[in-house]
Amino acid sequence: MKTPATFYHAGCPVCVEAERQIADALDPTRYDVELVHLGEHGDRIAAAEAAGVKSVPAIVINGAPFHINFGAPISALKS
Amino acid sequence: MKTPATFYHAGCPVCVEAERQIADALDPTRYDVELVHLGEHGDRIAAAEAAGVKSVPAIVINGAPFHINFGAPISALKS
């Protein structure tokens, strides 16, 4: 069974670069990568925060949050 | 030809976790991942800084630096 990995972003330039270079680089035979745009899917913010995500871009693997550089704080994505 | 990816760390807990979950997760058919312990190989610090690395753990892919969470600033690794 593949390991789920959730990449949270907000379409920002830093996010796009991290998606292209990190999220897309994961081994597809071992990881199931889901891309979630928190600006468009505000209903996913609570789950991201529960996993420890403080800013985007970030990727949650095996329940652990990894913030990749810094694009925007989660708080800026709440309307 | 594989894309070179250099993972810089200092053996810190945050570094170890990032290595296990991110560096080891890259697709081995597309990436050649080198692990560099900057605490043990101080001669590699200049190249890391030149690539834009400000803290560890970080991974440089295609020349672009991606800081993953925060373990220690590069300055703390200089003796």
Side-chain angles (χ1 to χ4, degrees), chain B:
Chain B
M1 197 178 120
K2 294 187 191 182
T3 298
T6 309
F7 180 78
Y8 293 105
H9 69 104
C12 57
V14 173
C15 296
V16 171
E17 181 76 356
E19 177 180 331
R20 204 168 59 84
Q21 302 280 14
I22 304 285
D24 290 353
L26 298 196
D27 184 350
T29 69
R30 293 181 288 147
Y31 296 87
D32 233 336
V33 182
E34 182 189 14
L35 307 177
V36 177
H37 189 314
L38 289 178
E40 294 173 355
H41 300 280
D43 57 316
R44 304 288 297 269
I45 290 178
E49 286 188 313
V53 174
K54 309 280 190 209
S55 61
V56 289
I59 190 164
V60 174
I61 301 180
N62 278 322
F66 296 93
H67 301 87
I68 303 167
N69 289 341
F70 181 83
I74 282 276
S75 59
L77 304 175
K78 294 179 182 173
S79 50

Side-chain angles (χ1 to χ4, degrees), chain A residues 33-48:
Chain A
V33 182
E34 182 189 14
L35 307 177
V36 178
H37 190 314
L38 289 179
E40 294 173 356
H41 300 281
D43 57 317
R44 303 288 297 270
I45 290 178

Side-chain angles (χ1 to χ4, degrees), chain A:
Chain A
M1 198 178 120
K2 293 188 191 183
T3 298
T6 310
F7 180 78
Y8 293 105
H9 69 104
C12 57
V14 173
C15 296
V16 171
E17 181 75 356
E19 178 181 331
R20 204 168 59 85
Q21 301 280 17
I22 303 284
D24 290 353
L26 298 195
D27 184 351
T29 68
R30 292 180 290 148
Y31 296 87
D32 233 336
V33 182
E34 182 189 14
L35 307 177
V36 178
H37 190 314
L38 289 179
E40 294 173 356
H41 300 281
D43 57 317
R44 303 288 297 270
I45 290 178
E49 286 188 314
V53 174
K54 309 280 190 209
S55 61
V56 290
I59 190 165
V60 174
I61 302 180
N62 279 321
F66 296 94
H67 300 87
I68 303 166
N69 289 341
F70 181 82
I74 282 276
S75 59
L77 305 175
K78 295 178 181 173
S79 50

